[in-house]
Amino acid sequence: MGYVTTDDGAEIFFKDWGDHDAQPIVFHHGWPLSSDDWDAQLLYFLNEGYRVIATDRRGHGRSSQIDTGHDMDHYASDVNAVVEHLDLRNAVHVGHSTGGGQVARYVAKYGEPQGRVAKAVLVAAVPPLMLQTDDNPEGLPISVFDGFRDALAANRAQFFEDVASGPFYGFNREGVEVQQRVIDNWWRQGMAGSALAHYAGIKAFSETDQTEDLKAISVPVLVLQGDDDQVVPYQAAALKQAELLSNATLKIYEGYPHGMLTTHADVINPDILAFIRS
């Protein structure tokens, strides 16, 4: 574990486990969480012989609560700072939700031009654009994201409880077993971060058009999403990612929620492993 200080003074926390001669896999978490959300993946891939790295996004988890730079450009630049500090090569970058946007921007702007990336995995990721527009009718209306901002500003603790216990993991679906400790862990991670970073991050993950990022990526990309994702509509996300990427493998899981990396790690982890080894 360690920290990297960026050019604008943000301190970015990272975990770095495993043999440094092994192929690195870098994990990028969703909003408003931290690298702890990857526990099930870090342990699994470490045991499969990989070097595993995961960061806390600026303002999230143990990274500094800096008041600027809460946008995809800075998110990607921060990743690049960690990658260069560790001199990672032939890396696989795996991003969930907002972390998927972070991966797309990093790979397109830094990773591929520098020759440091072998493959990427987008899991329930936000690109190309979450916001509903005339050109993106499958997206969500701005009122949804304004509602997020209002709820966060009014009572962040309650808002995070509502998200984790409801749509994120699909615990609001009939017949789904509610896992209280999973909810508690999501809430714990969220509340460890900065309210300002979380508030500003809503704009970053919802209004950043990453169409050109996806078009610029040529390495193999695995695109995964559940068709019962209540947070990121898969019609506006995974399906369009597969169309825009030049070398994509698409897999849609029937009935899986947004947080399927936790609820269905026993299925998702082997699928990612098979893609990395292929």
Side-chain angles (χ1 to χ4, degrees):
M1 297 187 294
Y3 286 88
V4 168
T5 301
T6 67
D7 290 342
D8 67 340
E11 294 183 331
I12 305 300
F13 172 86
F14 65 87
K15 302 176 184 179
D16 180 9
W17 302 343
D19 184 349
H20 285 200
D21 291 327
Q23 184 177 20
I25 307 176
V26 186
F27 295 91
H28 308 249
H29 65 79
W31 176 97
L33 304 171
S34 74
S35 56
D36 292 354
D37 201 46
W38 291 106
D39 284 354
Q41 285 70 45
L42 294 175
L43 294 174
Y44 177 87
F45 287 97
L46 180 67
N47 288 332
E48 291 293 337
Y50 292 89
R51 179 183 181 182
V52 294
I53 298 98
T55 66
D56 288 359
R57 189 172 301 118
R58 64 169 56 206
H60 294 62
R62 286 138 295 204
S63 290
S64 62
Q65 296 197 5
I66 190 170
D67 62 348
T68 57
H70 303 294
D71 54 71
M72 284 296 175
D73 281 335
H74 281 87
Y75 295 166
S77 177
D78 294 347
V79 172
N80 187 55
V82 174
V83 168
E84 289 190 334
H85 174 73
L86 298 176
D87 193 24
L88 302 179
R89 300 181 184 277
N90 193 36
V92 178
H93 287 263
V94 183
H96 175 241
S97 196
T98 301
Q102 183 171 294
V103 166
R105 181 61 53 89
Y106 165 76
V107 172
K109 188 173 182 179
Y110 299 100
E112 278 212 49
Q114 296 172 355
R116 292 182 178 272
V117 177
K119 296 181 178 181
V121 182
L122 301 179
V123 185
V126 297
L129 179 63
M130 280 194 72
L131 182 67
Q132 186 181 77
T133 65
D134 291 342
D135 294 330
N136 188 44
E138 298 86 0
L140 298 172
I142 191 65
S143 60
V144 171
F145 305 110
D146 287 340
F148 289 174
R149 282 181 276 262
D150 290 344
L152 189 151
N155 189 336
R156 182 168 63 132
Q158 185 60 59
F159 177 49
F160 285 178
E161 175 75 15
D162 294 342
V163 172
S165 61
F168 197 92
Y169 295 112
F171 292 150
N172 56 343
R173 295 305 198 202
E174 185 176 353
V176 174
E177 180 184 355
V178 175
Q179 301 178 51
Q180 186 59 48
R181 291 298 172 257
V182 169
I183 296 169
D184 294 345
N185 190 43
W186 198 99
W187 188 91
R188 174 192 67 83
Q189 292 176 70
M191 293 305 293
S194 158
L196 175 60
H198 296 159
Y199 188 93
I202 294 170
K203 182 179 180 66
F205 73 64
S206 65
E207 298 182 41
T208 304
D209 189 337
Q210 298 194 258
T211 300
E212 297 306 314
D213 290 332
L214 296 173
K215 288 180 178 180
I217 296 171
S218 63
V219 297
V221 181
L222 178 63
V223 175
L224 306 176
Q225 193 162 11
D227 69 359
D228 194 32
D229 191 324
Q230 301 173 66
V231 178
V232 178
Y234 79 97
Q235 298 91 339
L239 299 188
K240 290 191 174 182
Q241 291 159 24
E243 291 176 358
L244 291 166
L245 290 160
S246 63
N247 192 359
T249 300
L250 172 66
K251 185 164 187 178
I252 303 295
Y253 299 88
E254 183 178 356
Y256 281 21
H258 188 64
M260 63 184 186
L261 282 162
T262 298
T263 58
H264 296 82
D266 60 326
V267 174
I268 306 298
N269 288 353
D271 285 350
I272 295 175
L273 178 64
F275 169 74
I276 293 173
R277 288 179 170 172
S278 65

